[in-house]
């Protein structure tokens, strides 16, 4: 018998919408899932936004105060898609109330925030998932399998890139994302957090690193009203951008491999140019998010002039079979969140973690803090991943 599970979404910007759609779709793609998510309530402080969400998606109730969700006995699992500065307080409270949590990266403003949430989840005996969605792409999981199987030999070096133009417009509004107190680190927490997670997911722990950061658009206009996404503002009072637009980082992995991680949120001409290149002693693998369902692979014994083939992922790769019947049929970004929702709900049903967890968020946050320390000191540093 399928058991109903009351879920809530806290914060209903774009990511709250993506989580909600994932809950609505998850049993379409995973019909044997033992749980059936039911949309109990949505919490959003912007007037009218929660009511719009309820009307569109069918939440049974709405609130402007997330604390009401903590006390709601109908709610057993919560998606936390509010701004970064609220992650820790909300997640710790929800876990303390015995509710499972699916929280968006970077899980707070610091590694201490991520550790506090991880400790709360572990102490409460609930399940916790984190929104590192790019690792869910079937091509990425296939790349990891190829690397682990030694198909490209011993990994020697890798490059990970996360370039976007979402903050490139000089009229982009000075929202919480650009403030230390509410947004924490800039492009580090937003994009490099995914890079740090993918680096570890594919290649193992990072032993040390050295980084450089920069702010290229130092001022933005304050918005006159509530914003969602990456809105523009004109004519408002100018304020300082307090966190990073850009980071470039050299990595040394525990395995001995070397790497480069580069991320920028103001890259004109780059629309979500995310991906990686991993080179080994006998081959290489290449992935580009904009060609989500393709993996370029070079392997064999030729070494010099060795060809590169394009693999179109299919039902034998990752979670592809839950979405499409044959290779080269396209999956999209929102599908990666459905995979994430399934793994979160499966974790709850089986009492064991699947997918990205809070300890993964702690590792990523520790790498980000190491980047910031390195940029400030101009030296190599090691991530502090322990509590």
């Amino acid at each position: 018998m399928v058991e109903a599970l009351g879920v809530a979404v806290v914060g209903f910007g774009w990511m709250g919408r993506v989580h909600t759609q994932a809950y609505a779709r998850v049993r379409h793609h995973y019909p044997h899932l033992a749980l059936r998510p039911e949309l109990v309530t949505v919490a959003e402080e912007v007037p009218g936004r929660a009511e719009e969400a309820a009307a569109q998606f069918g939440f049974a109730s709405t609130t402007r105060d997330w604390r009401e969700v903590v006390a709601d006995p109908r709610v057993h699992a919560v998606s936390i898609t509010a701004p970064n500065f609220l992650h820790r307080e909300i997640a710790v409270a929800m876990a303390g109330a015995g509710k499972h949590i699916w929280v968006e990266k970077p899980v707070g403003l610091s590694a201490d925030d991520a550790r506090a949430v991880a400790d709360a989840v572990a102490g409460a005996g609930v399940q916790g998932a984190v929104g590192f969605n790019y690792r869910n792409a079937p091509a990425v999981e296939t790349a990891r399998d190829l690397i682990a199987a030694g198909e490209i030999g011993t990994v020697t070096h890798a490059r990970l890139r996360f370039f976007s133009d979402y903050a490139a417009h000089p009229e982009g509004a000075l929202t919480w994302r650009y403030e230390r107190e509410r947004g924490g680190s800039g492009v580090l927490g937003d994009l490099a957090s995914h890079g740090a997670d993918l680096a570890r997911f594919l290649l193992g722990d990072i032993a040390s690193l050295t980084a450089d950061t920069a702010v290229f658009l130092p001022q933005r206009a304050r918005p006159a009203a509530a914003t969602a996404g990456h809105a523009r503002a004109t004519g408002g009072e100018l304020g300082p951008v307090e966190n990073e637009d850009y980071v470039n980082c050299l990595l040394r992995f525990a395995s001995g491999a070397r790497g480069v991680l580069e991320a920028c949120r103001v890259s004109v001409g780059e629309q979500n140019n995310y991906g990686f290149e991993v080179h080994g002693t006998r081959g290489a693998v290449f992935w580009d998010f904009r060609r989500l369902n393709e993996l370029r692979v070079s392997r064999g014994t030729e070494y010099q002039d060795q060809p590169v083939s394009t693999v179109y992922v299919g039902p034998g790769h990752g979670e592809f079979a839950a979405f499409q019947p044959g290779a080269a049929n396209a999956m999209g970004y929102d599908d990666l969140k459905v995979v994430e929702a399934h793994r979160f709900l499966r974790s709850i049903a089986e009492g064991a973690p699947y997918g990205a967890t809070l300890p993964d968020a702690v590792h990523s946050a520790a790498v980000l803090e190491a980047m910031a320390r390195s940029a400030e000191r101009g030296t190599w540093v090691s991530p502090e991943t322990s509590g």
Side-chain angles (χ1 to χ4, degrees):
M1 182 176 178
V2 177
E3 181 181 351
L5 183 81
V7 301
V9 175
V10 177
F12 207 82
W14 169 64
M15 189 52 67
R17 179 179 296 270
V18 173
H19 276 233
T20 302
Q21 291 170 168
Y23 285 130
R25 293 177 54 199
V26 67
R27 283 190 54 81
H28 298 168
H29 298 279
Y30 298 94
H32 302 297
L33 182 63
L35 297 174
R36 183 181 74 256
E38 292 188 350
L39 300 176
V40 171
T41 190
V42 54
E44 171 56 63
E45 65 177 11
V46 176
R49 191 178 288 174
E51 289 74 17
E52 291 176 5
Q56 181 174 1
F57 294 102
F59 287 97
S61 61
T62 67
T63 179
R64 291 182 62 184
D65 186 353
W66 61 263
R67 294 168 185 82
E68 293 184 4
V69 180
V70 177
D72 192 333
R74 302 172 299 166
V75 175
H76 305 288
V78 182
S79 279
I80 301 169
T81 55
N84 299 349
F85 69 99
L86 294 171
H87 287 181
R88 176 174 180 166
E89 182 181 10
I90 296 173
V92 169
M94 295 297 177
K99 302 181 192 303
H100 308 284
I101 61 170
W102 176 12
V103 57
E104 272 306 312
K105 57 83 202 167
V107 189
L109 303 178
S110 65
D112 282 345
D113 283 354
R115 291 187 187 98
V117 176
D119 290 345
V121 166
V126 297
Q127 296 299 318
V130 180
F132 289 129
N133 42 268
Y134 298 107
R135 61 157 64 190
N136 299 329
V140 173
E141 295 193 317
T142 301
R144 187 192 196 206
D145 291 343
L146 291 174
I147 293 166
E151 292 289 325
I152 64 169
T154 300
V155 173
T156 53
H157 61 100
R159 177 174 177 260
L160 300 100
R161 68 186 185 282
F162 279 80
F163 299 146
S164 182
D165 63 355
Y166 71 78
H169 202 289
E171 294 179 358
L174 186 68
T175 65
W176 60 267
R177 295 179 183 277
Y178 303 100
E179 301 174 3
R180 287 285 181 194
E181 185 176 351
R182 297 194 297 165
S185 60
V187 75
L188 273 70
D190 193 20
L191 295 180
S193 58
H194 283 299
D197 180 67
L198 277 185
R200 180 167 171 263
F201 182 71
L202 293 168
L203 305 174
D205 287 339
I206 295 168
S208 61
L209 58 83
T210 185
D212 184 35
T213 62
V215 178
F216 296 132
L217 293 177
Q219 289 187 315
R220 295 179 182 273
R222 300 185 189 280
T227 62
H230 307 294
R232 297 181 189 175
T234 57
E237 178 188 359
L238 293 178
V241 172
E242 299 174 350
N243 51 31
E244 310 86 355
D245 287 330
Y246 171 83
V247 61
N248 183 33
C249 184
L250 299 179
L251 306 169
R252 291 175 178 167
F253 292 89
S255 66
R258 298 299 196 262
V260 177
L261 192 163
E262 191 176 14
C264 185
R265 64 188 181 186
V266 296
S267 297
V268 176
E270 298 282 15
Q271 293 82 42
N272 300 324
N273 181 0
Y274 309 153
F276 57 76
E277 305 152 13
V278 180
H279 297 267
T281 52
R282 293 203 309 271
V285 292
F286 311 86
W287 180 71
D288 186 331
F289 168 68
R290 298 165 301 179
R291 305 182 73 88
L292 178 68
N293 303 290
E294 300 177 17
L295 186 68
R296 295 173 61 234
V297 182
S298 178
R299 54 185 167 178
T301 57
E302 297 179 43
Y303 300 98
Q304 186 176 5
D305 299 327
Q306 183 163 283
V308 177
S309 300
T310 298
V311 176
Y312 297 101
V313 294
H317 301 112
E319 299 287 326
F320 187 91
F323 298 86
Q324 299 293 350
N329 286 292
M331 286 177 62
Y333 176 90
D334 284 10
D335 294 330
L336 303 185
K337 284 299 186 185
V338 176
V339 174
E340 205 164 276
H342 171 250
R343 290 175 176 173
F344 174 47
L345 295 170
R346 182 182 175 189
S347 297
I348 296 170
E350 299 183 15
Y354 291 93
T357 62
L358 270 305
D360 293 319
V362 172
H363 277 274
S364 176
V367 170
L368 301 184
E369 290 197 349
M371 290 180 188
R373 290 199 309 275
S374 174
E376 181 181 355
R377 301 174 186 175
T379 60
W380 284 85
V381 300
S382 297
E384 298 174 358
T385 57
S386 66

